[in-house]
Amino acid sequence: MALKMNQDVARLQGAFLLADKLCVPSSLSSLQKADWSTVGRPVLEALRDVSGREEQCGGRPASAAVWLKTVVSSVWLKVLSGEAGEDVETAWRENPFFPLQNGLPELNRVVLFEVVKSTATAGTFAHFLSSLPRCHICTELESFARHVGRVPTGEDDVGLFLEVWWELWKSGEERGGAAEDTAETMFAREFARVLSASSSASPRAAKRLKPDASDRAPSPLSSDVLHLLLHALRDLKAHVSTAELCVQALSVSLDALYTAFLADRAAVLPAEEKLRLVCEVVGIREQSGEQLTPGVIREAQRDVQASHAPSPFEPAGMTLAEALAIVAELAEFWRRGGLLAACGASKPSCSAFRLEQSVQKVLAALEKAEVPEMDGREELRGLLESLAFPATKSRPDVSARVAAAIVDHRLDGYQDVALLFASERSWAACDVLWTDCLERNRAAFQRLDALLEVTAVLEDKLRGADVSQCRRLMKVAADIFSALSLKDKNAALAAVLKRSGSGFFAGSAPSAVTEGFEQELNMAFNCIIQGGGAMAAQGNLNTAVSLVARVAFQNPEATLKACCHSAVFNKGAFSLMVKILQQLHGLQGHGGGGALLCRCLRETIGTKSLSVNEKEQLLEYLGLLMTAVEGEDEERRSFLTPQEVVNAFVLPNISTAGSSSLDVELSLRLLQTALSVDVQDASSHPHWALDCSPFPLLYVLAQLHNRTLRCWERPEDAVPRWSMEAKELLVSVLTTLGRVVGAEVAAAPSRWSRALFWLYDRTAELDWTVRFHLKAVWGEHFKNEVPSSLLAVCDLPEQDWVGSDLPQYGQGTGLLAWMECCSVSDPLRATMLSRLALDQRRPDHVGMFSKGLLVAVTQTLPWCSVSQWTRLLGVLRELISSGRLHVPFSLEYVDHLPLLDLRSFSCELRLSVLLLRALQLLCGSSCSGWLAAEGWAHVGRLYAHAVRAMMSSLRAKLTLPTSPKTPASGGLQEPGGSPLTSKEPGEEEEVVPCQEVLFVLSQLFCHVQHIQVMMPGGQSEPLFLSSLEVLSHYEAVMAAFPLSSSPLESDNARHFFSTITDNLQDLQMKAVLQQKIAQLVAP
């Protein structure tokens, strides 16, 4: 703050000098109160002149207020400096008020107080006073009170006293928030400087500090502000001559008493009550002709705050009893004077309303406080209860305008008022005012509770016909929502979902509004989809989340449908949609869960026929939504739980007779994904699967598995056949779910016994092997029930196994049942191999077993999945290696006995011959019509799988070098068919069975070609590829071991292979193989 030396300052200084001359023979430093009316006219005229000119030049009354504040502070400091005998040489350097203050004549406190009274600056005086330390406040107040009580004392003196008192009470609440450069802080600093300088003054200067020669020594209660003011008012009681002044005096004293002794320091006046009181005051002032301005509202707020908040001046020695006695004495005195009788008969006024509120507060507090009986309490209560007041009630339109003004001008408590403004339905009925205020003050309503109130009002208004108003409100609400934090956005979304999944459009919104939202929705998702992979970056992802959240706030259901549509039908969009939804967990609702999302996804895909890619995207989409991720609150959560996905997309579509756009295989994959989800508290019981009808689900899965066991026998017009991949998936799901349910059954067997017996009884109608997949469910509750014929070939303990007479398993079918058991699982295969009843010492038993097993392999092969066939190949290898399975190897594809050591390859050769014999039986005339075309294709794939397994075994026995081997000198083929050898210096002689491998490969090629020719159609692509693989490996061995085949031998091999290939019917396959055979040339 800087003071300018201009004509206004000079004008004012001249006025004070003129007034000083009018005091002759005395001066302004010794002026008496009665003389001010004579000498003070020049000062008042100058102040009016300067203040008026400030308002005209500045265009704002605030400029005049600042000028008056400067005058009051300068006059006060001039008085103080004169009393302290301040050194001018020091003052001009340190005193910011020096330019104005130095040009003034010597003044006393009478001039100060009369200037304050004449210029109506009691508020300014109180503000300066409140900025001082408590001891100086009391000293200055004591001087002020003595001045007011001096003759002549009129109504204006009493009014000034009451106004300073009340302004002091209001200013006390604002003391802590003053900035460093305000006039109050500058005044306080200068006040303290002057006093500190006077501490070292001479006794004469110290004497000059006393404002009056007749001053008394300070009383013990001189530091108690309330004591000082109440006693001063008691001294002035006879000068209160009008009802208005009486009402003011009583209300001020009651409020001071209440805030000092009775107010609850922990209680806070609710914003709604505070606003009601402010509106009452403003309404009364409007009725008196005043305009509703921010200043009027601000003053009313200060009055309400000061009359309810605990006093800033705590009593230092005065008691409640003493204060009650003084107030009761004052009230009784004014009652006898007839001043209080006019309260009820007068028109509504701010003073009367304030007194009414003060009386109510004090009476309620006295009743609640349960203070002991004391002098004046009952008298005061009786007096207060006898008072009558004019009825006042603010109109709703006044309340709405006041609330809007508080929000517009950011007055005290505007955020709480904004919440009230948004929630009050009667104010919302004032469409223009309410909507305009929202539009102007979006930032004031950027809080969750206010937004929810606006949303509730908006939903009601959307049922109206004012399209323009609806659009404006929707945009305002969406803008407010968009400015919230992500946490508050999620809370808002949850609140909207709690009311309705359709958001603003739960009712009958105007079609124009609905169309506008649809355009915004499409634009948002087009922007996200066109952004593509760039949207996955964190900054862009936040933008995408904000876009989706904005439209979701308006209509969650439509937004979730758009998310689901993009995830399923836009290539690669599923991951971005999941990232967005994982941040908007508020779309799960208050209780969590994704029921709405599941419903939207079901409606999105509807009965559409999904492509393979769309099914994959759907699977990925749901899988990621079930995956828990860490949110902004560092809590791991998933958007969908596994049980929600299973209940919504698996159970309705997995029944044997069900029909849906989600086929059974896709439902199984969803179930498998759900079962593999890493649930955060996986150890907790019960498992989520128990909420998905686990026993009926297990039975349906068992039924489906039963259908796959003889799938090739289904007629063409029946339910479409299952793929073997689906069969393996089904077995995996059935086993996994069985383990989960089995663990729960084991934990509480008595609880699940009934369901357990129900499932066991229902599976009796299915194939007997199905129950083995449910072994984990019933554990040791039931024995393993198998065909009786199996017990004839296996030594199984009776305590765990029981035979059953099944029509399709008559005499001689034991090995068939044994093979089927071996294919079910690895543990069961181990049991079957260890319990096989076969006396290897009896050749006839081994021969009969080998023939029976060949038939069993033929019967089992077509129905095996790849995993089952892999187990059976392991069984056959084990039986061949252990000598329990006899497979004679005939040289039907060679003209001369090869002089080779084939003992290490006997298993591969015999296994290949066994498969050849089995396929010969299967392709024979008696079985030619046994399988459909899909069945034969599957048999071809299984045989090709077996060929690849034998090729892998051969590669393990002969690892090809990175460069061709050159045998050492003399390393020639021995006459007895010994293998090639090579020896490096200092190494053992290494045996390289390359010629044996070539022989085995040639036999394997012949077997594959033989089977391909035999199979119906002869166009099995897997067998064709197997033949190429055999030839490729044959060529690689020849290249790696040049001496493994002479040119003559390679020529014979090419001729032989070509002869075998000539039997193929497919010319294209034959040509490719012939071309490959032609490349088999010895190096």
Side-chain angles (χ1 to χ4, degrees):
M1 175 181 175
L3 294 179
K4 300 178 295 182
M5 284 300 297
N6 53 28
Q7 61 177 353
D8 294 335
V9 173
R11 172 86 168 84
L12 184 62
Q13 290 173 338
F16 272 100
L17 291 174
L18 178 59
D20 189 58
K21 289 182 179 180
L22 292 176
C23 294
V24 174
S26 61
S27 64
L28 288 178
S29 60
S30 59
L31 182 69
Q32 299 297 313
K33 180 180 178 181
D35 297 331
W36 173 256
S37 59
T38 304
V39 302
R41 186 175 295 106
V43 174
L44 297 182
E45 289 177 354
L47 287 173
R48 282 194 294 269
D49 184 30
V50 173
S51 298
R53 190 157 54 250
E54 284 286 338
E55 289 190 20
Q56 293 176 1
C57 298
R60 293 181 294 114
S63 300
V66 171
W67 169 250
L68 290 175
K69 184 179 291 188
T70 304
V71 171
V72 171
S73 59
S74 299
V75 170
W76 197 341
L77 290 171
K78 183 66 178 181
V79 172
L80 188 64
S81 63
E83 295 172 350
E86 183 186 23
D87 184 9
V88 176
E89 291 300 322
T90 303
W92 76 268
R93 289 194 300 268
E94 300 180 8
N95 186 0
F97 302 94
F98 184 79
L100 173 58
Q101 179 182 326
N102 187 55
L104 299 177
E106 294 294 325
L107 308 174
N108 67 357
R109 293 179 180 271
V110 172
V111 177
L112 169 65
F113 299 140
E114 291 300 322
V115 166
V116 169
K117 181 176 69 174
S118 302
T119 56
T121 53
T124 299
F125 177 75
H127 274 82
F128 284 133
L129 190 61
S130 66
S131 67
L132 302 179
R134 180 64 54 87
C135 59
H136 295 303
I137 292 177
C138 292
T139 302
E140 296 296 325
L141 270 180
E142 195 171 1
S143 297
F144 174 66
R146 283 198 299 272
H147 172 79
V148 171
R150 286 195 181 102
V151 178
T153 301
E155 291 183 10
D156 54 349
D157 291 297
V158 178
L160 174 65
F161 173 79
L162 295 175
E163 189 175 357
V164 169
W165 182 352
W166 189 234
E167 287 293 335
L168 188 63
W169 239 244
K170 291 190 288 186
S171 301
E173 289 296 312
E174 304 163 1
R175 291 179 67 186
E180 285 297 320
D181 293 331
T182 62
E184 288 81 1
T185 55
M186 294 174 63
F187 172 80
R189 283 200 301 268
E190 185 61 20
F191 191 101
R193 187 190 64 79
V194 173
L195 290 183
S196 64
S198 69
S199 62
S200 58
S202 63
R204 182 180 178 185
K207 183 178 180 181
R208 291 174 63 190
L209 276 172
K210 294 185 178 181
D212 198 302
S214 62
D215 286 345
R216 300 183 305 272
S219 65
L221 295 175
S222 60
S223 61
D224 192 329
V225 175
L226 181 61
H227 175 273
L228 193 155
L229 292 172
L230 280 175
H231 280 79
L233 181 60
R234 185 168 60 180
D235 294 340
L236 294 172
K237 65 183 178 182
H239 299 286
V240 177
S241 56
T242 64
E244 178 67 18
L245 202 58
C246 173
V247 168
Q248 290 182 23
L250 190 55
S251 66
V252 168
S253 57
L254 285 174
D255 281 339
L257 182 147
Y258 172 81
T259 58
F261 294 102
L262 302 175
D264 185 356
R265 295 189 176 273
V268 178
L269 188 65
E272 188 173 3
E273 177 65 13
K274 190 183 297 184
L275 180 62
R276 183 189 69 80
L277 295 174
V278 170
C279 291
E280 294 281 4
V281 173
V282 172
I284 292 172
R285 296 182 70 166
E286 271 199 322
Q287 292 176 12
S288 302
E290 292 190 54
Q291 296 294 322
L292 193 158
T293 63
V296 170
I297 298 174
R298 187 180 294 108
E299 199 60 32
Q301 286 181 316
R302 294 179 67 232
D303 285 338
V304 170
Q305 179 66 20
S307 62
H308 287 81
S311 170
F313 305 102
E314 296 183 10
M318 192 176 205
T319 63
L320 174 60
E322 184 182 355
L324 284 172
I326 293 176
V327 175
E329 176 189 340
L330 293 173
E332 176 61 22
F333 179 82
W334 292 326
R335 184 188 67 79
R336 288 198 305 269
L339 296 177
L340 291 179
C343 287
S346 62
K347 293 182 180 180
S349 66
C350 292
S351 300
F353 177 75
R354 273 187 53 200
L355 179 58
E356 181 183 8
Q357 299 302 311
S358 304
V359 167
Q360 292 174 358
K361 291 197 302 287
V362 170
L363 288 177
L366 288 175
E367 189 70 29
K368 182 179 179 181
E370 299 181 356
V371 294
E373 292 296 331
M374 56 186 68
D375 294 339
R377 173 183 171 183
E378 294 303 322
E379 291 82 353
L380 179 61
R381 177 180 294 171
L383 284 170
L384 297 181
E385 289 176 347
S386 66
L387 295 178
F389 299 96
T392 58
K393 185 172 180 61
S394 64
R395 302 188 310 274
D397 65 310
V398 174
S399 300
R401 287 187 288 113
V402 170
I406 291 175
V407 176
D408 280 335
H409 298 282
R410 300 297 190 269
L411 301 182
D412 182 52
Y414 74 92
Q415 290 179 318
D416 293 330
V417 174
L419 176 60
L420 294 174
F421 187 81
S423 60
E424 184 57 52
R425 295 296 191 272
S426 61
W427 300 347
C430 307
D431 289 339
V432 176
L433 171 68
W434 198 77
T435 307
D436 288 349
C437 182
L438 286 176
E439 283 186 328
R440 289 192 305 268
N441 302 284
R442 289 178 173 87
F445 294 91
Q446 284 175 13
R447 45 186 288 187
L448 179 61
D449 46 5
L451 174 63
L452 295 181
E453 295 295 344
V454 172
T455 302
V457 174
L458 175 56
E459 289 175 359
D460 294 336
K461 288 184 175 292
L462 279 171
R463 299 184 179 95
D466 192 343
V467 175
S468 175
Q469 192 79 355
C470 291
R471 283 177 171 171
R472 288 177 64 195
L473 285 178
M474 279 188 65
K475 186 178 185 307
V476 170
D479 290 343
I480 295 173
F481 172 83
S482 298
L484 296 178
S485 66
L486 183 59
K487 180 180 179 181
D488 285 344
K489 283 179 181 177
N490 278 311
L493 291 174
V496 170
L497 274 178
K498 188 177 182 180
R499 288 197 293 267
S500 170
S502 299
F504 299 159
F505 302 96
S508 54
S511 58
V513 177
T514 305
E515 292 172 1
F517 168 74
E518 290 174 353
Q519 292 176 359
E520 183 178 358
L521 180 67
N522 293 334
M523 187 179 301
F525 277 89
N526 286 341
C527 178
I528 293 172
I529 297 302
Q530 290 172 6
M535 276 293 179
Q538 189 57 48
N540 294 333
L541 178 60
N542 293 338
T543 301
V545 170
S546 298
L547 287 174
V548 173
R550 182 184 176 97
V551 291
F553 171 67
Q554 300 172 65
N555 191 335
E557 185 173 351
T559 303
L560 285 177
K561 285 181 180 178
C563 284
C564 293
H565 186 278
S566 298
V568 176
F569 298 105
N570 287 293
K571 187 175 181 180
F574 63 87
S575 60
L576 178 58
M577 292 299 114
V578 170
K579 289 179 181 178
I580 292 172
L581 291 176
Q582 283 171 339
Q583 294 198 43
L584 298 178
H585 55 81
L587 288 173
Q588 295 174 293
H590 274 287
L596 179 60
L597 176 65
C598 291
R599 177 161 59 84
C600 291
L601 182 55
R602 286 200 307 269
E603 293 178 6
T604 299
I605 58 180
T607 56
K608 297 178 181 178
S609 179
L610 300 179
S611 66
V612 175
N613 181 63
E614 290 165 353
K615 289 180 181 179
E616 289 297 326
Q617 296 214 146
L618 173 62
L619 188 65
E620 293 283 352
Y621 181 53
L622 289 173
L624 290 174
L625 287 175
M626 287 188 286
T627 304
V629 295
E630 190 173 286
E632 76 276 359
D633 54 359
E634 298 184 355
E635 179 182 351
R636 290 182 61 83
R637 63 164 66 89
S638 62
F639 198 93
L640 292 179
T641 60
Q643 61 265 38
E644 286 174 330
V645 173
V646 171
N647 286 324
F649 299 101
V650 177
L651 297 184
N653 304 315
I654 206 170
S655 64
T656 54
S659 60
S660 170
S661 60
L662 294 180
D663 54 46
V664 178
E665 184 173 349
L666 181 56
S667 298
L668 287 175
R669 292 179 66 188
L670 283 175
L671 179 56
Q672 184 185 46
T673 302
L675 289 170
S676 64
V677 168
D678 180 21
V679 181
Q680 189 172 3
D681 191 9
S683 61
S684 63
H685 290 283
H687 192 276
W688 63 261
L690 297 187
D691 295 329
C692 304
S693 306
F695 286 93
L697 177 57
L698 283 170
Y699 176 62
V700 171
L701 292 174
Q703 282 183 307
L704 294 173
H705 179 54
N706 187 69
R707 286 175 52 196
T708 65
L709 297 178
R710 291 292 182 267
C711 56
W712 310 130
E713 297 178 3
R714 302 282 179 184
E716 292 294 338
D717 57 349
V719 178
R721 293 188 176 92
W722 283 64
S723 67
M724 281 298 166
E725 291 77 10
K727 178 182 178 181
E728 294 207 58
L729 173 63
L730 182 55
V731 170
S732 173
V733 170
L734 186 59
T735 305
T736 304
L737 182 60
R739 283 197 296 267
V740 170
V741 177
E744 299 295 334
V745 170
S750 58
R751 178 184 176 188
W752 301 105
S753 58
R754 187 173 180 180
L756 201 63
F757 278 93
W758 173 86
L759 180 62
Y760 190 82
D761 290 340
R762 294 301 299 267
T763 55
E765 65 191 32
L766 306 179
D767 188 87
W768 63 275
T769 60
V770 174
R771 282 179 171 171
F772 283 109
H773 295 293
L774 297 171
K775 180 64 178 175
V777 180
W778 35 69
E780 304 301 324
H781 290 277
F782 305 102
K783 292 183 178 181
N784 297 316
E785 195 170 345
V786 295
S788 299
S789 59
L790 176 61
L791 301 180
V793 299
C794 265
D795 296 328
L796 298 171
E798 293 182 358
Q799 65 269 23
D800 297 324
W801 300 79
V802 62
S804 178
D805 294 329
L806 301 178
Q808 62 271 39
Y809 289 88
Q811 188 175 4
T813 59
L815 285 179
L816 173 61
W818 186 83
M819 289 290 287
E820 290 177 341
C821 279
C822 288
S823 68
V824 170
S825 66
D826 293 340
L828 194 55
R829 178 184 66 175
T831 300
M832 291 295 105
L833 284 171
S834 63
R835 295 287 181 172
L836 180 62
L838 177 64
D839 187 356
Q840 291 182 253
R841 294 171 298 178
R842 298 186 60 178
D844 56 332
H845 282 199
V846 174
M848 289 298 295
F849 171 76
S850 300
K851 293 177 182 178
L853 191 68
L854 176 62
V855 175
V857 171
T858 306
Q859 291 176 290
T860 309
L861 172 61
W863 321 110
C864 288
S865 64
V866 173
S867 61
Q868 290 175 320
W869 180 236
T870 301
R871 291 191 193 98
L872 290 185
L873 288 175
V875 169
L876 295 176
R877 287 179 178 276
E878 174 66 23
L879 292 175
I880 292 173
S881 300
S882 62
R884 286 180 285 182
L885 177 60
H886 175 63
V887 182
F889 182 75
S890 60
L891 299 175
E892 55 189 281
Y893 294 107
V894 292
D895 296 329
H896 306 285
L897 179 66
L899 300 178
L900 301 171
D901 184 4
L902 299 174
R903 287 173 298 179
S904 60
F905 301 96
S906 62
C907 184
E908 285 77 13
L909 288 170
R910 288 175 179 174
L911 179 59
S912 183
V913 170
L914 177 65
L915 297 179
L916 173 63
R917 299 291 178 252
L919 268 298
Q920 284 175 329
L921 284 176
L922 192 59
C923 297
S925 58
S926 59
C927 302
S928 58
W930 192 23
L931 294 175
E934 294 90 339
W936 285 114
H938 179 64
V939 168
R941 287 192 291 271
L942 290 182
Y943 179 69
H945 177 77
V947 172
R948 286 194 297 273
M950 288 185 281
M951 292 282 292
S952 298
S953 178
L954 291 175
R955 290 190 180 95
K957 293 180 179 181
L958 180 62
T959 304
L960 298 180
T962 55
S963 59
K965 273 188 177 290
T966 303
S969 59
L972 302 175
Q973 181 179 351
E974 298 183 2
S978 62
L980 292 175
T981 61
S982 64
K983 184 177 181 181
E984 297 294 337
E987 293 184 355
E988 293 283 337
E989 189 176 80
E990 180 186 0
V991 178
V992 184
C994 52
Q995 290 181 317
E996 286 80 355
V997 170
L998 290 179
F999 176 77
V1000 174
L1001 289 173
S1002 65
Q1003 293 299 296
L1004 192 56
F1005 177 77
C1006 293
H1007 293 165
V1008 175
Q1009 288 292 289
H1010 190 158
I1011 293 172
Q1012 184 171 2
V1013 171
M1014 284 191 304
M1015 286 187 66
Q1019 298 180 0
S1020 176
E1021 185 175 350
L1023 296 186
F1024 166 70
L1025 296 176
S1026 295
S1027 298
L1028 284 176
E1029 186 177 356
V1030 172
L1031 292 176
S1032 296
H1033 194 55
Y1034 193 100
E1035 181 183 13
V1037 172
M1038 289 176 62
F1041 302 96
L1043 296 181
S1044 62
S1045 178
S1046 65
L1048 178 59
E1049 288 173 333
S1050 63
D1051 184 65
N1052 290 336
R1054 289 196 303 275
H1055 176 72
F1056 174 63
F1057 289 160
S1058 298
T1059 303
I1060 296 296
T1061 308
D1062 285 339
N1063 295 318
L1064 286 179
Q1065 297 178 0
D1066 189 286
L1067 298 180
Q1068 187 175 1
M1069 289 183 180
K1070 183 190 298 185
V1072 174
L1073 288 175
Q1074 293 286 4
Q1075 183 180 1
K1076 188 67 177 176
I1077 292 169
Q1079 297 173 1
L1080 302 179
V1081 179

